[in-house]
Amino acid sequence: MKAHVVLLPGDGIGPEVTRSAHRVLLDVASRFGHHMTFEEHDIGGISIDRYGIPLTDSTVEACRGAHAILLGAVGGPKWDDPNAKTRPEAGLLAIRKELGLFANLRPIVTFPELLDASPLKRHIIEGTDILFYRELTGGLYFGPSGCETLENGEQRAYSTAVYTTSEVERIVRMAALAARTRRRKLTMVDKANVLEVSRLWRRVTARIMQDEFSDLEYEVVLVDSMAMHLLSRPKSFDVVVTSNMFGDILTDEASMLPGSLGMLPSASLGNSGPGLYEPIHGSAPDIAGRGIANPLATILASAMLCRHSLGLEQEAAVIEQSVRKVLADGFRTADLVARGQPSIGTEAMTDQVLSALEQIQSTTHA
Ligand code: IPM
Ligand code: MG
């Protein structure tokens, strides 16, 4: 098959980890006989430096024309001035919105080899397998917001959470369909005891679950209580659906179950058009350029890219197996080891994934 992929390396460690995933995709393409082409564009801080804005029309157009997009990370202290006209993060929000990527899939799976890398107890996290569906183009991130100066000289700022029925319906349906292929349980997280917008989520979700998915187990959990249950009973969750802001916070919290943010990929999907794949971690400016970033989250994102945008399930599985193999073989980047323990850098880790890929592919095709 033929596929065209846009790479958006972005800022900080973004370029380093994107390079790793690019190498893996090139390798997979040649092994499985696919023709994959790549084109690189700017987003975030680097785009602000070059063009004055975090996302240009030409980047958006290139993305629209691709089968899939692989993004590194955006942001860094250089662009953190709270008085700046624009921020790198605005580029990420804009590309999600422009491409209609309303569903952000964030799988939280613990790796047997990394159970001791988590700050949480083994018996609690072992076997955790959660798939978050975070709504990505609505809510607090995109509602009316502003800041005004009052007559008394005080400033007054506001951000508003807004959702429509159809925005809730489409993400809930997507999440429920996924639950049907997994352990058949959907958890919806809201704050319906306080927020009007959550009460809409609750009514709409209850109706869809009753009318279309009565074969699934369905529960609602308040977001504050979810913050607790994620740490006390993570194994009891299968698919979790929630709004943009709650999903942002809960998935960072959940990333501590597998032990490192450096292991977690995500996919942002719409109803049609290219999907966008990225690690959950940010640009990690403190370690940028040192060659020590963990590339596995972005490599796992490239597996999701193969699966969800290119329909290459076998290729996705081989990438995931390769990552498991390097972990089983004991290779670790700095984020995965205790202080002072031996670790390898970004390139060396990528080399290990590629050699694992070769071994796995040659045994399955033998
Ligand atoms: C994420 C990030 C982004 C978000 C930032 C960088 C805008 O935290 O993808 O979770 O808040 O959505
Ligand atoms: Mg976040």
Side-chain angles (χ1 to χ4, degrees):
M1 65 148 282
K2 285 187 174 162
H4 187 59
V5 177
V6 164
L7 302 173
L8 302 176
D11 310 317
I13 60 170
E16 299 162 58
V17 295
T18 307
R19 197 177 314 123
S20 295
H22 184 193
R23 284 179 63 197
V24 170
L25 284 174
L26 282 171
D27 189 74
V28 164
S30 80
R31 279 180 199 289
F32 288 84
H34 303 304
H35 186 66
M36 283 194 202
T37 50
F38 296 86
E39 168 183 353
E40 202 173 299
H41 287 272
D42 294 322
I43 191 168
I46 186 162
S47 177
I48 295 179
D49 289 350
R50 290 190 175 152
Y51 315 105
I53 47 174
L55 182 69
T56 62
D57 290 347
S58 75
T59 293
V60 175
E61 282 321 304
C63 290
R64 276 192 215 288
H67 294 102
I69 304 151
L70 186 72
L71 184 141
V74 299
K78 183 175 174 193
W79 307 280
D80 260 351
D81 177 1
N83 296 315
K85 280 202 307 293
T86 183
R87 298 179 55 94
E89 289 80 1
L92 185 54
L93 300 184
I95 190 91
R96 290 170 176 171
K97 192 75 173 175
E98 284 286 334
L99 300 179
L101 306 172
F102 64 85
N104 186 214
L105 284 61
R106 298 189 160 185
I108 306 285
V109 183
T110 51
F111 292 81
E113 299 81 10
L114 293 181
L115 288 174
D116 295 320
S118 173
L120 299 156
K121 290 199 176 74
R122 172 183 277 263
H123 74 271
I124 292 185
I125 57 175
E126 195 162 25
T128 295
D129 180 1
I130 309 174
L131 180 55
F132 273 90
Y133 274 74
R134 168 190 175 194
E135 200 290 328
L136 203 60
T137 53
L140 257 183
Y141 277 62
F142 293 95
S145 69
C147 183
E148 61 204 19
T149 305
L150 303 177
E151 272 171 23
N152 65 5
E154 256 203 303
Q155 292 203 305
R156 176 176 174 276
Y158 58 95
S159 299
T160 327
V162 183
Y163 275 108
T164 61
T165 307
S166 58
E167 283 177 316
V168 179
E169 282 172 349
R170 62 185 184 180
I171 182 90
V172 167
R173 280 205 181 94
M174 219 192 239
L177 284 171
R180 211 172 246 163
T181 68
R182 294 171 44 104
R183 300 194 307 282
R184 311 181 77 82
K185 177 173 177 187
L186 184 76
T187 303
M188 195 274 283
V189 178
D190 67 20
K191 186 72 185 175
N193 52 349
V194 176
L195 302 177
E196 192 62 45
V197 70
S198 282
R199 291 193 277 273
L200 177 72
W201 269 79
R202 201 169 275 210
R203 286 194 301 275
V204 171
T205 311
R207 168 172 53 77
I208 292 189
M209 295 311 289
Q210 195 180 354
D211 293 355
E212 301 170 33
F213 298 95
S214 56
D215 55 314
L216 301 185
E217 184 187 341
Y218 171 54
E219 70 173 353
V220 291
V221 180
L222 292 171
V223 64
D224 47 351
S225 146
M226 186 66 179
M228 183 177 75
H229 291 308
L230 264 180
L231 304 184
S232 61
R233 55 172 182 99
K235 269 178 276 197
S236 70
F237 299 108
D238 178 14
V239 176
V240 177
V241 66
T242 191
S243 60
N244 203 345
M245 184 87 252
F246 295 161
D248 179 48
I249 299 169
L250 291 175
T251 53
D252 262 30
E253 184 193 1
S255 77
M256 283 295 102
L257 300 165
S260 171
L261 210 48
M263 294 301 302
L264 299 180
S266 87
S268 303
L269 309 175
N271 276 331
S272 60
L276 183 146
Y277 301 84
E278 56 180 314
I280 290 189
H281 63 69
S283 60
D286 52 324
I287 60 163
R290 291 172 52 197
I292 60 168
N294 182 350
L296 296 179
T298 317
I299 290 172
L300 289 168
S302 75
M304 293 186 88
L305 183 155
C306 289
R307 174 174 297 125
H308 295 285
S309 282
L310 308 184
L312 302 177
E313 176 56 40
Q314 196 196 346
E315 289 78 347
V318 167
I319 296 173
E320 288 164 351
Q321 283 162 25
S322 306
V323 168
R324 281 183 186 256
K325 180 166 177 359
V326 298
L327 295 173
D329 290 347
F331 297 104
R332 302 283 185 272
T333 42
D335 55 310
L336 299 175
V337 295
R339 203 175 263 284
Q341 293 296 108
S343 61
I344 60 174
T346 313
E347 288 291 306
M349 187 54 123
T350 311
D351 293 341
Q352 291 303 333
V353 172
L354 293 176
S355 82
L357 221 145
E358 177 171 12
Q359 287 176 43
I360 288 169
Q361 209 231 353
S362 61
T363 50
T364 44
H365 282 247

